[in-house]
Structures are given as structure tokens and as C-alpha cells.
Amino acid sequence: MSSRDRILAKLNAAPVLPKAVPDIASWYATHRFEETTAEKVARFRGCIEFAHAEVYAVTQATWPQKLCEVLNTKQIEKLLVAPATPHGQRATEVLTETGITFRAYDQSIEAWREEMFHDVPASLTGARGAIAETGTLVLWPDADEPRLMSLLPPVHIVLIDVNTIHNTFYEMMQSEGWSGSLPTNALLISGPSKTADIQVTLAYGAHGPKELIVLLMGEAS
Amino acid sequence: MSDHALSFMPSEGFRARSKEVVENPFLRKSFRGAMDFLINKRVTQFPSAEELETLRTLGEQIRQYNLANLPSLLVQLEDSLTRNGIKVHWAETPDEANAIILGICQAHSAKLMVKGKSMVSEEIELNHACEAAGIEAMESDMGEYIVQLAGEKPSHIIMPAIHKTKEEIATLFHEKVEGVDYTDNVDELIQIGRRVLREKFLVADIGLSGVNFAVAETGTLCLVENEGNGRLSTTAPPVHIAITGIEKIVEKLDHVPPLLSLLTRSATGQNISTYFNMISGPRKADEKDGPTEMHLVLLDNGRTQAYADEELRKTLQCIRCGACMNHCPVYTRVGGHAYGTTYPGPIGKIISPHMLGLEATKTMATASTLCGACGEVCPVKIPIPELLMRLREESFSEPHANPAMRGQGAGYSRLITMVWQGWALVYRSPMLYGTYSWLASRFNWLTPSNQGPWTTVRVPLKPAPKRLRDLLKDKS
Ligand code: SF4
């Protein structure tokens, strides 16, 4: 018998009383309420700002300009972009005019590991959606916009459409049918990387981005 | 490798180790301070008592439902993970788990493993096994990194280095990390850790992580963290190995949001952690990063023993939030190291006997005042005080056939049992009790003034010269 078989045999031998299927839907129905987009935006913003993210209200037309402004204020000279995404494409066009260089994530990490680990000060990614309840960005990295983009650069800039904000994590995975379509890596990000491991003193930029900047697209400015 | 089981002698040293902490005002202050901080943060996360109560009930139902279906869910998880390209391994013992992990490392000629936070890897003492095999195992969670650098063990499951002051850490970094000047600025210390560990992430051959929830229907491993080291450990190296106890499984993806909410709010008083990382497979052919190979090790190590008993099974509902420790008056005073086990505090007291046997843990369940705080805050409603009573029973009752636990009766003493039986007899019979109390009050001058540890800080216990019943009689 293998370890697998022995473990399963022991578990199967246990007399187990059946338990009812948990009714998660009705808990959410009675404890979390539908909100208007404006209310969700306000809640999302309040939470993620509390977690130390910088949030800027932008529109479809103004976000590239805000992006440049942010990069200039922070004196960032190079931005990592995903050129195959619409926002990555747009960013490259705008950056070319301003003189800020951009680096495209267009080859596998093995080809440029050193540079990615040491020499990429900032990145721009999109987000699939957000969660108002907890001030959370939801990213589904893929071939065009890989996992490490939102992790290694010290500054991570995220573009998010306010119409994709959901009330709760539960609502989002239900309405989008996540259980049948998860990517290799799905991420919830709710602020810059942080730790309180030394004497419960909060410090940012533990291993991931020190700064998280959210361009909130569609919010009335 | 089997000798590392011997290093666990929790019951032996508990007294001595806890004395050390109790007599160290510095440590007492840092534990008290940190626990108060966590207690207050948790409270602010649950403003509505009704919401907390109903959510805890839901959490309990979710965990109990999944445990009730555990064997079939494990098979389903294995199928889903295999479909997703993740190789599943099963281990009954720590040695077996270590052998599996070392086998994977050796197949890749690995020299360096970076580790995200994983209590199960502490449970199997993976770092020792790696060292013995010539593989460097590097902790990357800041707290774990500090503890490893100091050659110590975590003292709290969520905050591993809670027993150290920033000055101690400053000295540690100055002495152990090359080219680092003394600084006790917390931001600077964290940046030093970041720099050192990023170089390790750059070149590591293997990334190791724990698992907070494993979703059977989708074949997804979920990780909760704030630092990003968990994400790095599972993304940067070419091979990712995850290890988890067999109980951390849920059937449906929609079981995750309530448990996640309970976990982060109970643990650190955050409405959510900075990162929630859901991994459902290695890098696909067209993807540009992520590990190209993934493994999951499912560990038993005594969990099947807890599973076999309807009451003890509740131990496995645990989502490792640490709230029971934060609220435990014993833990707060003696700290995490006193227990001598991987999992300290109330959860440690109820889970360790299954892992190590009652022989080595027979008195652990007695290190409790039974105040009930742990059971009250547990987000999945584990009746910890009841389980502590049950474990005392298992430890100290006369050894019998077909025991529910390994080491049942390890603390049995015929004399003590007889004393208690006599006590029960006296206290059940009005006549015997009357005679006994009459004698005690008349001969109270016979009670010794030195009553061992009791009288080192208190006045001696002495029966009153007149019993309550005598006083009442005098009155009427
Ligand atoms: S026993 Fe309950 S309170 Fe303690 S760590 Fe586990 S889930 Fe948290």
C-alpha cells in the first residue's frame, strides 16, 4: 500500500456524520448590500488609500497624461509595460513623446532576469476588476502581462475602470464564473507590500512594490 | 533523519522555559504589547457582533462540511491539480515529506531553496533535512528570516520574530549580514532584508511555500501574505513546491471568501491581506514567467488520528489565524518558545499531541486556565477548552485498549487517580464531607506553613476554625 492509500484508508474508516452544505449565498445576501458605482468607488478608494496606495481619478482620455505626471514627480526614468495590451500600447505611444524610456515585457524572464530584478523602477499594468469591501485590485496575469510585473518593480501603477468594481470578492467570483475559468495565477492586491515583523512596526516595500499607484478611470474628477 | 523527532520534548522543559520568560520583564513586555496590539486590531475589524457571530458559524459550517467529505475531496483535489499540471505527493510522516522534497531538489541539482512562510515546513523540520543534504534553505518572510539568522525558531505562527526587539535585530544584522552597519531604524532593517533576499530570489533553484486553502474543484492553491515573499517564492524560481496538511482543503471556490475574511481579520486585524495569491498551475507554454514545474506535498503526520474521532476532528477545522494565541493569558506570559512545539498556544496544545503522541505532550493540555478566551475568538468555532479537557482525560486516564490517541494514559498515575477518587467520594457524600470538614476545622493547626510553591508568594492555606455550617448554626 502506498502512503496515499494508507492515508485515504484511515480517513475512509472514520465514522463521519454528514454535514449540511454551507449556505454561503444567503449569508452574503443578508450581510452585504448592492451599492451604486459611486458608492463602490468611494469604498474602494477609502480602503485602498488606508492601505497606503495613492489613488488618482482619471478618465479614458486623461490617464496617459496623469501617468507621465506621476512618473515625472517621482523622477522615474523607465517604465515596464505590456505592449500587447491596449493600455500598454497607449503608454508606449505617450512615453515616446515625453522622453521617459519604457521597457517592454516581451520575452520570457530567463532572457532578462538580472535587469528585471535590479533595474526596473516601475511598471504599469491593468486590472481585471476591483473589490470595494476590502479595497482590492484583482489581476489575472497572462502571457501579455506576466506575473512578475506587479511584483518586482518598486513602484507599481495600475489602471482600473470603475465599472469593474464589485461589492465583494464573493460577488465578483460568482458573477464572473471564476470556478470554470481561473488562470494559472490570479491575484488580489490590496496595497503596497508591507510587513510588521519587527516589533509590530509597519514598514512598506518588504519584498514587493513599495508604492502602489492606482489610476481610477471613470471617476468624476 | 529520524532523530529529529527526539528533539521534541515539550512536556519536559515547559516549566523551565516558561520560568525564563516569566522572569524576563523585557520579553513579558514585548509579548504583552504585541498581543494587546493584535487584540485591539481584531476588535476594530468586527464592529458588528451579529456579523461576527454569523460569519463564525458560516466558517464552522464550511470547515465541518469539507472535513466530512475529506477523503473524496482529496481525491478530487489530486485530479484537478494533476489536470492543471501540478504533481501531487502524499506523505504520512515528516521524514517521508522531507524525502519527497529532497528528491525533487536533487532531481534538479538544486543548491538553493527560498521559502515563503510555511508552518508545515517547520513541522517537518525541512531546514534541517535540507542542511543535512547540502541544500541551503533560506527563509524569506522577514520574521522567519530574522529567526533563522538568529538560529532560533518562530515564537508565533503569524509573527515569528515577535520575541525580538529591534535593537536585537539591529545587532543581529550587523553581525551576520555582510557589510551592514548597525541601524535600529525599522525601515532600514527591512530594506536590508529586502536587498539580501532579492539576490536569493534571483538565483534560487526551488521555491517552497505553504498553502492556506486548497480548492478541490478548480485545483487551486491559495496563499495569504503581506510581504510579497510568498508570491516571489512561488513565481521566481523555476520549480515551486507547496506543502500542506491534508485538512486545508475546500471543495468549492466560493468557500474561500468567507474563510479569507475570517482569517485576515482574526489574525492581524486586516480586512484583507496585501496579497491573496491563487495558483492553479505552472507557467503555460506561451507565458513569460512563473515556475515551469509545480508540486504539492500532502502531509498526514497525525491528522488522520484526529480525524478518526468526531470530537477530536474539530481540531482540523483550524485555519491557523493565531487569534487563540493572541488572546491566551498563558501564551501571553510564557511566549511561544516555552511550549517546545512547532505550534504554540491553544492551537498547539490541541494539535501537537496528534503529531508527537501524548508521551511527549502529556502535560501540554494542563498549561491552561480554561478561561475560554481561545474558544470565544476562534473564527471557525473550535471548542478549544472542551478539547483541552478531553486531552487531559486521554493523558491521565488509565491506559485502555483501542485508545483514540497515541500515548493515551501516558500521564496515568495510580496514586493520583486514587487521591482524586477519594476526593470525589468525600465530596459526593454529605456524611463523609461533614466528618471531613469537622476534622479539618478542628485540626487546622496541623496544616504546614510551608506549602511548596504556593507559599513562596502567598500566605498558607488553612481551613477556617469554624465551618460555614457552624457559623450559620451560631447565628440561629
Ligand atoms: S484554533 Fe481557531 S483561533 Fe486558533 S489558530 Fe486555529 S482557527 Fe485560529
Side-chain angles (χ1 to χ4, degrees), chain A residues 3 6 118 143 193 199 208, chain B residues 92 96 166 194 227 288:
Chain A
S3 298
R6 274 192 299 270
H118 293 131
S193 150
Q199 262 190 245
Chain B
E92 284 189 283
E96 234 180 284
K166 62 174 190 236
R194 176 186 173 107
E227 295 185 0
K288 298 186 181 72

Side-chain angles (χ1 to χ4, degrees), chain A residues 66-132:
Chain A
K66 190 78 211 174
L67 173 70
C68 295
E69 250 176 69
V70 168
L71 293 173
N72 281 326
T73 343
K74 295 190 185 291
Q75 298 180 332
I76 293 167
E77 281 157 11
K78 182 158 87 172
L79 182 72
L80 178 67
V81 293
T85 60
H87 50 269
Q89 175 69 43
R90 182 94 189 271
T92 54
E93 288 161 17
V94 180
L95 290 178
T96 319
E97 291 159 24
T98 62
I100 299 172
T101 49
F102 63 88
R103 175 69 162 93
Y105 201 153
D106 53 6
Q107 50 189 338
S108 73
I109 183 66
E110 285 72 20
W112 64 299
R113 231 177 143 78
E114 280 280 343
E115 184 189 349
M116 179 59 161
F117 272 70
H118 293 131
D119 197 24
V120 177
S123 66
L124 169 75
T125 73
R128 178 188 180 85
I131 300 162

Side-chain angles (χ1 to χ4, degrees), chain B residues 8 10-11 14 119 123 155-157 303 315 318 320-326 328 331 335-336 338-358 360-368 374 382 384 387-388 391 405:
Chain B
F8 289 114
S11 295
F14 181 79
M119 286 309 292
E123 183 185 325
S155 56
H156 189 279
I157 61 172
R303 289 163 174 86
T315 312
C318 177
R320 302 282 190 270
C321 71
C324 53
M325 293 174 204
N326 304 345
C328 177
Y331 176 90
Y339 297 85
T341 46
T342 303
Y343 305 95
I347 176 60
K349 287 185 263 192
I350 59 171
I351 191 88
S352 308
H354 297 288
M355 296 170 173
L356 307 168
L358 279 169
T361 56
K362 55 181 177 280
T363 55
M364 261 189 109
T366 65
S368 166
C374 48
I382 301 176
I384 304 172
L387 288 168
L388 289 170
L391 292 173
M405 296 185 65

